[in-house]
Amino acid sequence: MGHTSLDKIKALQKNPANVRNLCILAHVDHGKTTLADSLVASNGIISSRLAGKLRYLDSREDEQIRGITMKSSAISLHYKDYLINLIDSPGHVDFSSEVSTAVRLCDGAIVIVDAVEGVCPQTQAVLRQAWLENIRPVLVINKIDRLIMELKLTSQEAYTHLQKILEQVNAVTGSLFTSKVLEDRAVKEERAEEDKEEGDIKPAECPGSEQVYDWSAGLEDSDDSQLYFSPDQGNVVFASAIDGWGFSIQQFAQIHSQRMGIRAEVLLKTLWGDFYLNAKAKKIMKGAHAKGKKPLFVQLVLDNIWSLYDAVVTRRDKEKIEKMMMSLGVKVMTRDSRHSDPKVLLSAICSQWLPVSQAVLFMVCDKLPSPLDMTSERIERLMSVGARRFHSLPLQTQELKTAFMQCSSDDTAPVIVFVSKMFMVDAKALPQNKQSEGVSGQMQGLPLKAKPEEEEEKETFVAFARVYSGVVRRGQKVFVMGPKYDPAQGLRMVRIVSACLPPVPHLACCTMDSLYLLMGRELEELEEVPSGNVLGIGGLEECVLKSATLSTSPALPPFIPLNFEATPIVRVAIEPKHPSEMPKLVRGMRLLNQADPCAEVLIQETGEHVLVTAGEVHLQRCLDDLRERFAKIEISASKPIIPFRETVIRPPKVDMVNEDLGKQQKVAVIHQVKESDTLHLDPSGLVTLTTPNRQATVGVRAIPLPEEVTLLLEGSADLIRTLEQAGQAQREGRTLDMSTWTLDALMVLKSRLEVLLQGRKWRNAVDRIWAFGPRRYGPNILLNSVEGYQRPSVWHCLEREKGEKEGGAKAEASAIRDFDNSVVSGFQLATLSGPMCEEPLMGVCFSVERWDMNFPTQRTHLDSVTEKDSNSLDASVSESPGEAVGQQGASGKAGGAGETPSQAEGAMAGASHGRLVDCYGPFSGQLIAAVKEACRHAFQAKPQRLMAAMYTCEIMATAEVLGRVYGVLGKREGRVLQEEMKEGTEMFIIKAVLPVAESFGFADEIRKRTSGLASPQLVFSHWEVISSDPSWVPTTEEEYLHFGEKADSANQALKYMNGVRRRKGLYVEEKIVEHGEKQRTLSKNK
Ligand SMILES: Nc1nc2c(ncn2[C@@H]2O[C@H](COP(=O)(O)OP(=O)(O)OP(=O)(O)O)[C@@H](O)[C@H]2O)c(=O)[nH]1
Ligand SMILES: [Mg+2]
């Protein structure tokens, strides 16, 4: 463990004021792990000669081979009197969930930016993540050697370039800050409102009645001086991690103040900026740029570095090197100075002259907050789960805020711990087993080679965690709070932690069997860990799935869920090579699910085991892990399953060869629907369908939603879910304590929908929304256009004061109101899988225009229980199975249920409406099926289209390889959105979108075609309608001429659709050999 003893670290842990928990964040390949190496080397854990080459924290074999980090890992370092718990994180977008797990446990972050590439998409993403978690960043501008050696900039040009980079980074922070201030102002207003309301009770405390806000008010008052990166603030280090040097301007200010006799404070203020040295007057003057003078930074800082590189690397001028070493007071070993690679000598000199580790460690101790500096804002945010606000939490819960703030390690302080992920280690590498194993501890974390069968089970999970309050002791019992745990409920039922808890929902009890100090590839055993430190906890695998909140106080609510940036989108079906090994696969997938923060594991209705990952690289890592660590069997994975969406569009005006279409074409489309005695279709697209027992008839029309509406609904899924929950609660007679912020957001959503849904056909549409779907929050709408049918709108629960009126309305509801829920369920089923290839629908509005009920004996009795029953059943059905595998799950359950809730129909129908059973089955079931069928037919009556998931990517390429990049993009149906030259370099930045379906192997292909110069990162961006019609056949002469008779070669949508249908075992209409005689004709010609 290097030259710091375990006892020293234990002592340092006890002083939270000198603890720094921080992570290293950056875009991929900007040098995080290389910088971490230098810091690790400063503690003697690795040799400083190997720093930068070893990439010590990339402990996995595939990380070393691919050269990218795939997981976050922590190491504790010692610097002066400080303990630094450092977490290295991955920069590749596929692993951005690992970044979230790191950021949550930290108080500060080192953000690294590559001096050549500047601010990249992931740089922005990590800055945003740091911001959202309220942690303070410092900046390292890395790879400055590239400006010298690759771009061959002069020191003056480099200065301008660095200034630009700093501006870019500050622009990102600035925009985050502005939006935050505006948000804060909204909250303040809200508080003022609340105070006003409470003012009825305590008028004395009521603030001034009229408050007028100026829009810029918050911006001016807020202190943003701490916020921006500026070398004179001491929060920027310039570095070349690979060559081992780095500095902040403080260092140079000190060096030069002695040499030149200028006060260090003056230099500190003037070293960065538009200042120059007037040698004659011995003064520092302003206006270097205007007067064409060398800025101080160039003259006193960069020039020294430039001339060192010039002497050592470019000219290899021995004499000059000697001289420079003398003046710097640096001595190097002869083997370094004689080495054939001049970089060795360079880094030997630099790492003594300006050691990067000292500059960075000094900066983090000086500028980043300690655990004692937790802001109350951050604590309130962590504790305000869901739509609840902090002030509505029980009093005992609110009091826990003090415990966070004090960060006390007293025995009386409640223990508060957050686990952000679970990672697996080989049991042999655990410190308690190490004595017998000797050196094998070194190998911990490295992938395991094949081992004898009996050792298979010997792997355990360690929780990656942090103590926020109290002292954690080995063998201690704690509560595990599930994501839905309600402290108010818990407080009523339990007081202390004990093994036999009364059954409190979402609360469990667990023992922390062992505690570890995380040392990169190694673990060290600890007896206790005081507040404010990062640690590993063993023995939680039974009660923690991926992340969890632990405490000794039942008053603690679960922390807000981790904020993941990436959407898991790439799914594959997995099966064992030998069918008999299925149980091993199931176990392996369960372990994988637990060990990976964002991978999802589900069992599809067809019985297939499906793995959902964030991208291709992530997928590969998950498969490798399954093979080598978790299942340890041969597995085969299907080709990635690409998700599609189905939608309808407005009838196109032109055909495939851009000819104007007449009316008759529309009719041709419509006649795809086959009419029967219970099904009728009118030419305008209205489908009427009667249930088999002829007691109900529904008329449904499908209407495409405007694109903006679909986007809005898609983006507001969480909000709509809250709305749905509130509606549900109201129907059950409960109230959901929504924060004013959520209520406001819902009102805004409603009014935006009103603005977007304009025109005759959408009159009053927003108030008539019956439901959203699928799963009750999807981007499709069910619209109530039934004449004379009154039902409360989905927005009903927003109108608090009108809440009471509903009771009255209910009593006079008609008999059909009882079956309201069957219609909604039918709609949910229809939107969950569409008629084209059973993929979910998107952007479709189903307007129910007719709903007639015709009972043999009129039912007058209304049974409210009935409605409730079907409600709750439906709710459990509509919950997505993926979400069942919760992020903060308190149980060890893995895997989900079936994917489509088709069993819903039977279950629901059986549960209620028993009196209306006839030979066709329960009536509500018939109605569900009828609505679902009507929706499907209505959908088919409109021009249907597939929607493809699209990735965006940003590719950086030089002019020479630009053509090849375009070639690869074109071949894969990609579209270039923007191309621009990166300032100060010869690189082009290309922004493009391409379908997920065409993206597999894209990054590799680009890398190969450009000899590794361009490496794109794919980020899910949106859904896009594929313009070609999959059911299209050529009808006009021109089309025959253009596409031939089969016309299937060019039809991308048909290709995708048939692919999905084939995979799902649905009927695919295909002609395999047509016109066999043509081949004969060909051979005759030869
Ligand atoms: N020229 C130069 N190259 C550097 C410097 N620092 C790192 N590199 C190189 O950049 C590449 C990526 O370095 P890493 O440290 O693995 O980058 P990372 O940010 O950890 O990458 P991910 O973890 O995959 O996001 C390696 O080939 C390093 O050798 C530097 O200061 N100068
Ligand atoms: Mg790395």
Side-chain angles (χ1 to χ4, degrees):
M1 49 175 290
H3 52 57
T4 315
S5 72
L6 188 56
D7 288 334
K8 173 85 185 164
I9 293 208
K10 281 184 196 164
L12 290 171
Q13 281 189 333
K14 294 202 172 101
N15 180 9
N18 280 7
V19 172
R20 298 288 180 272
N21 297 314
L22 55 105
C23 50
I24 314 186
L25 306 175
H27 188 76
V28 67
D29 266 2
H30 280 195
K32 296 175 287 296
T33 314
T34 311
L35 179 70
D37 259 11
S38 305
L39 307 187
V40 172
S42 77
N43 269 232
I45 295 168
I46 59 171
S47 122
S48 58
R49 300 176 69 86
L50 287 179
K53 299 183 187 71
L54 198 60
R55 288 191 291 119
Y56 179 72
L57 292 178
D58 282 354
S59 52
R60 296 168 54 101
E61 198 173 61
D62 47 358
E63 285 179 323
Q64 289 286 345
I65 294 170
R66 273 183 179 260
I68 60 169
T69 308
M70 299 188 177
K71 50 151 189 16
S72 44
S73 48
I75 189 159
S76 295
L77 301 175
H78 161 222
Y79 170 72
K80 293 186 182 159
D81 290 337
Y82 290 90
L83 176 69
I84 289 153
N85 296 317
L86 181 79
I87 307 181
D88 181 30
S89 71
H92 194 285
V93 52
D94 278 14
F95 304 107
S96 69
S97 56
E98 289 278 346
V99 179
S100 315
T101 64
V103 169
R104 170 58 63 86
L105 303 188
C106 294
D107 303 305
I110 303 177
V111 174
I112 301 185
V113 177
D114 182 328
V116 172
E117 296 192 352
V119 173
C120 291
Q122 278 313 102
T123 318
Q124 298 184 3
V126 295
L127 279 170
R128 192 167 56 241
Q129 261 171 319
W131 184 268
L132 287 176
E133 286 283 348
N134 267 316
I135 70 173
R136 194 181 301 161
V138 288
L139 183 69
V140 172
I141 301 186
N142 189 28
K143 304 202 188 183
I144 293 190
D145 61 299
R146 290 183 71 190
L147 299 181
I148 312 175
M149 305 306 299
E150 272 177 45
L151 299 191
K152 309 221 175 334
L153 301 185
T154 62
S155 50
Q156 175 76 40
E157 287 164 343
Y159 170 65
T160 325
H161 185 83
L162 291 173
Q163 266 182 323
K164 288 221 178 82
I165 291 184
L166 212 56
E167 270 167 32
Q168 286 174 354
V169 184
N170 281 332
V172 179
T173 344
S175 64
L176 291 168
F177 179 66
T178 320
S179 56
K180 157 90 182 344
V181 170
L182 296 178
E183 209 172 90
D184 275 359
R185 218 191 58 214
V187 172
K188 251 189 228 156
E189 279 175 356
E190 172 195 311
R191 294 258 162 88
E193 263 321 84
E194 273 169 27
D195 286 350
K196 242 194 263 171
E197 278 170 27
E198 281 163 19
D200 295 342
I201 313 160
K202 286 186 243 164
E205 284 171 27
C206 182
S209 54
E210 283 292 312
Q211 283 191 333
V212 184
Y213 281 99
D214 167 15
W215 68 270
S216 63
L219 278 178
E220 276 151 27
D221 303 344
S222 317
D223 175 25
D224 59 356
S225 58
Q226 283 279 315
L227 186 79
Y228 292 106
F229 299 108
S230 169
D232 56 358
Q233 292 277 337
N235 57 8
V236 181
V237 158
F238 302 90
S240 164
I242 199 109
D243 292 339
W245 59 264
F247 62 88
S248 62
I249 60 170
Q250 269 86 343
Q251 280 163 283
F252 275 94
Q254 248 140 33
I255 297 173
H256 289 293
S257 85
Q258 287 161 6
R259 278 197 198 157
M260 297 162 52
I262 304 175
R263 284 215 323 275
E265 299 87 80
V266 176
L267 272 175
L268 196 58
K269 290 222 175 72
T270 51
L271 254 181
W272 180 261
D274 195 24
F275 300 96
Y276 70 97
L277 192 69
N278 186 331
K280 270 190 210 151
K282 293 206 165 172
K283 267 188 184 160
I284 293 173
M285 321 275 275
K286 214 174 162 24
H289 185 69
K291 295 193 186 127
K293 303 273 185 188
K294 250 189 197 179
L296 269 190
F297 188 71
V298 177
Q299 190 181 353
L300 300 184
V301 182
L302 293 187
D303 275 353
N304 291 322
I305 295 169
W306 256 246
S307 56
L308 186 67
Y309 269 79
D310 181 58
V312 180
V313 188
T314 320
R315 288 198 281 120
R316 297 192 174 199
D317 182 342
K318 284 225 171 82
E319 262 173 49
K320 185 141 188 232
I321 298 172
E322 288 290 323
K323 245 199 226 159
M324 287 181 124
M325 288 203 313
M326 284 278 284
S327 73
L328 296 175
V330 169
K331 283 203 178 70
V332 294
M333 283 187 277
T334 19
R335 69 168 174 183
D336 284 340
S337 56
R338 295 216 181 121
H339 203 285
S340 58
D341 182 3
K343 281 269 191 163
V344 175
L345 175 61
L346 183 83
S347 69
I349 300 174
C350 289
S351 54
Q352 281 182 57
W353 176 36
L354 298 168
V356 62
S357 57
Q358 299 304 309
V360 172
L361 291 175
F362 176 79
M363 171 169 72
V364 298
C365 294
D366 191 36
K367 291 291 158 191
L368 294 182
S370 78
L372 293 176
D373 302 325
M374 276 266 256
T375 58
S376 84
E377 185 191 352
R378 181 168 173 213
I379 300 164
E380 287 187 15
R381 232 183 81 84
L382 280 179
M383 290 167 80
S384 306
V385 87
R388 298 192 70 156
R389 59 206 148 136
F390 182 75
H391 296 283
S392 73
L393 293 167
L395 217 57
Q396 269 168 290
T397 304
Q398 290 188 40
E399 279 165 13
L400 283 178
K401 189 169 145 184
T402 338
F404 274 97
M405 304 282 270
Q406 287 173 340
C407 189
S408 153
S409 300
D410 279 354
D411 281 335
T412 48
V415 170
I416 300 176
V417 173
F418 185 77
V419 175
S420 73
K421 70 165 181 178
M422 301 288 282
F423 64 97
M424 198 184 228
V425 291
D426 178 4
K428 280 204 298 185
L430 290 176
Q432 54 265 51
N433 306 337
K434 232 174 12 182
Q435 285 81 356
S436 55
E437 286 299 326
V439 291
S440 80
Q442 285 289 337
M443 300 298 290
Q444 186 269 316
L446 286 178
L448 300 158
K449 297 282 172 290
K451 285 195 307 173
E453 284 283 313
E454 65 268 22
E455 286 184 28
E456 212 172 49
E457 304 292 319
K458 299 226 176 115
E459 287 196 334
T460 54
F461 275 105
V462 172
F464 193 59
R466 162 167 175 182
V467 191
Y468 288 84
S469 161
V471 189
V472 178
R473 296 213 161 76
R474 194 161 71 134
Q476 193 174 20
K477 281 195 169 57
V478 280
F479 289 119
V480 181
M481 279 79 187
K484 289 186 180 164
Y485 170 68
D486 179 4
Q489 205 174 14
L491 279 169
R492 261 180 269 129
M493 298 172 74
V494 281
R495 295 260 144 246
I496 48 155
V497 198
S498 73
C500 47
L501 277 182
V504 183
H506 312 293
L507 190 71
C509 175
C510 206
T511 311
M512 298 187 272
D513 289 338
S514 35
L515 305 176
Y516 303 106
L517 177 71
L518 303 172
M519 289 301 291
R521 299 184 185 191
E522 286 181 59
L523 299 175
E524 297 284 343
E525 203 166 20
L526 294 174
E527 278 302 312
E528 57 173 45
V529 180
S531 183
N533 285 287
V534 172
L535 80 164
I537 308 175
L540 296 181
E541 63 256 49
E542 290 303 318
C543 34
V544 176
L545 179 57
K546 293 183 185 217
S547 61
T549 315
L550 315 177
S551 177
T552 48
S553 160
L556 185 75
F559 282 19
I560 50 165
L562 294 171
N563 154 51
F564 290 145
E565 297 259 325
T567 337
I569 195 155
V570 177
R571 34 170 81 202
V572 290
I574 293 180
E575 57 182 20
K577 272 261 162 64
H578 306 291
S580 62
E581 290 178 327
M582 198 59 178
K584 284 190 183 165
L585 177 71
V586 173
R587 177 174 170 271
M589 292 195 54
R590 204 192 67 224
L591 295 178
L592 173 68
N593 185 44
Q594 192 163 16
D596 192 296
C598 100
E600 283 173 22
V601 167
L602 6 132
I603 302 171
Q604 233 155 358
E605 212 185 27
T606 48
E608 281 176 314
H609 291 260
V610 174
L611 176 66
V612 195
T613 59
E616 217 183 338
V617 186
H618 185 211
L619 171 68
Q620 198 53 48
R621 201 213 64 195
C622 287
L623 292 180
D624 287 348
D625 272 355
L626 258 185
R627 273 191 205 109
E628 284 162 20
R629 306 196 71 182
F630 300 134
K632 291 185 193 141
I633 53 169
E634 285 286 298
I635 52 172
S636 54
S638 70
K639 275 202 198 135
I641 302 169
I642 315 293
F644 287 97
R645 294 285 182 266
E646 301 182 14
T647 192
V648 289
I649 56 163
R650 298 185 31 206
K653 294 205 172 65
V654 290
D655 68 4
M656 294 288 277
V657 281
N658 272 341
E659 294 272 324
D660 211 13
L661 279 174
K663 280 251 172 193
Q664 82 280 23
Q665 187 72 17
K666 280 190 210 166
V667 179
V669 177
I670 285 168
H671 278 295
Q672 284 181 356
V673 179
K674 293 183 190 69
E675 295 197 46
S676 69
D677 60 337
T678 53
L679 173 72
H680 295 284
L681 168 70
D682 93 5
S684 69
L686 179 72
V687 170
T688 21
L689 200 124
T690 310
T691 54
N693 65 1
R694 316 263 159 180
Q695 283 178 2
T697 305
V698 284
V700 179
R701 183 194 304 280
I703 311 167
L705 283 172
E707 202 177 319
E708 302 83 34
V709 175
T710 316
L711 268 179
L712 180 61
L713 293 180
E714 172 92 345
S716 318
D718 283 341
L719 212 53
I720 298 176
R721 203 183 323 200
T722 316
L723 178 73
E724 169 60 31
Q725 279 163 1
Q728 177 85 15
Q730 202 177 40
R731 283 193 292 273
E732 288 170 10
R734 292 183 287 121
T735 51
L736 196 74
D737 189 11
M738 273 197 282
S739 67
T740 332
W741 185 86
T742 317
L743 279 176
D744 284 351
L746 279 167
M747 294 303 265
V748 170
L749 172 67
K750 187 179 174 203
S751 54
R752 281 179 64 195
L753 279 175
E754 272 159 3
V755 172
L756 291 174
L757 289 174
Q758 290 289 345
R760 198 166 43 85
K761 91 180 146 190
W762 298 114
R763 191 169 299 148
N764 290 335
V766 179
D767 281 320
R768 286 189 284 126
I769 294 178
W770 196 332
F772 299 93
R775 302 195 171 107
R776 294 187 168 252
Y777 56 83
N780 301 285
I781 290 178
L782 181 69
L783 208 61
N784 174 16
S785 311
V786 184
E787 219 168 289
Y789 177 52
Q790 301 287 334
R791 70 181 301 285
S793 91
V794 282
W795 311 104
H796 181 71
C797 54
L798 294 186
E799 303 155 21
R800 282 180 185 164
E801 65 277 28
K802 287 185 196 162
E804 294 88 50
K805 280 192 203 160
E806 205 233 352
K810 212 171 181 179
E812 67 196 41
S814 66
I816 61 172
R817 176 86 172 81
D818 226 10
F819 292 97
D820 187 279
N821 234 282
S822 304
V823 178
V824 175
S825 303
F827 161 74
Q828 300 298 344
L829 291 173
T831 46
L832 193 63
S833 55
M836 295 168 80
C837 50
E838 305 297 331
E839 289 286 284
L841 304 192
M842 184 167 190
V844 187
C845 168
F846 290 105
S847 167
V848 183
E849 302 192 353
R850 201 178 139 199
W851 182 17
D852 300 333
M853 298 284 258
N854 166 31
F855 297 119
T857 50
Q858 189 69 33
R859 272 162 42 95
T860 47
H861 171 68
L862 280 178
D863 189 354
S864 60
V865 180
T866 308
E867 190 185 332
K868 229 193 239 176
D869 270 3
S870 57
N871 259 338
S872 55
L873 256 162
D874 186 56
S876 65
V877 160
S878 56
E879 206 52 52
S880 131
E883 282 142 30
V885 191
Q887 300 302 337
Q888 275 204 333
S891 72
K893 266 186 283 161
E899 273 218 300
T900 49
S902 60
Q903 63 276 52
E905 295 172 45
M908 278 194 54
S912 58
H913 304 300
R915 279 159 297 164
L916 279 171
V917 177
D918 52 34
C919 67
Y920 301 103
F923 178 66
S924 65
Q926 291 182 41
L927 186 58
I928 294 174
V931 173
K932 176 184 160 196
E933 280 311 306
C935 287
R936 281 174 82 99
H937 287 303
F939 181 91
Q940 284 176 310
K942 290 281 151 104
Q944 317 164 39
R945 291 292 184 273
L946 268 192
M947 291 179 91
M950 302 295 281
Y951 275 137
T952 55
C953 63
E954 214 171 84
I955 308 169
M956 223 181 286
T958 53
E960 300 96 72
V961 298
L962 206 59
R964 275 177 261 165
V965 171
Y966 274 64
V968 178
L969 273 172
K971 199 176 79 186
R972 291 171 177 269
E973 315 265 329
R975 210 169 60 232
V976 175
L977 301 179
Q978 200 185 355
E979 177 199 300
E980 61 182 33
M981 191 105 181
K982 189 149 188 127
E983 261 181 83
T985 68
E986 293 188 348
M987 301 274 221
F988 284 90
I989 305 176
I990 303 153
K991 277 208 182 101
V993 288
L994 87 160
V996 175
E998 305 291 335
S999 69
F1000 294 95
F1002 173 73
D1004 275 345
E1005 189 176 350
I1006 287 263
R1007 216 172 295 134
K1008 269 187 214 133
R1009 299 286 301 272
T1010 62
S1011 336
L1013 286 174
S1015 59
Q1017 288 209 65
L1018 300 167
V1019 188
F1020 173 72
S1021 119
H1022 65 285
W1023 295 91
E1024 197 168 292
V1025 177
I1026 304 175
S1027 59
S1028 52
D1029 175 5
S1031 60
W1032 175 79
V1033 280
T1035 43
T1036 65
E1037 207 155 296
E1038 286 87 352
E1039 285 179 343
Y1040 273 119
L1041 267 176
H1042 202 274
F1043 293 100
E1045 216 165 297
K1046 265 171 77 186
D1048 52 359
S1049 56
N1051 197 333
Q1052 196 68 20
L1054 182 70
K1055 209 173 83 191
Y1056 290 148
M1057 187 176 92
N1058 282 345
V1060 178
R1061 292 190 71 96
R1062 212 168 288 129
R1063 193 188 79 226
K1064 294 186 174 174
L1066 302 168
Y1067 172 68
V1068 179
E1069 197 174 307
E1070 266 177 325
K1071 291 172 193 159
I1072 297 168
V1073 180
E1074 225 181 348
H1075 308 306
E1077 73 278 9
K1078 261 201 175 158
Q1079 290 171 1
R1080 276 206 304 276
T1081 338
L1082 277 177
S1083 60
K1084 231 196 271 173
N1085 285 347
K1086 272 186 186 166

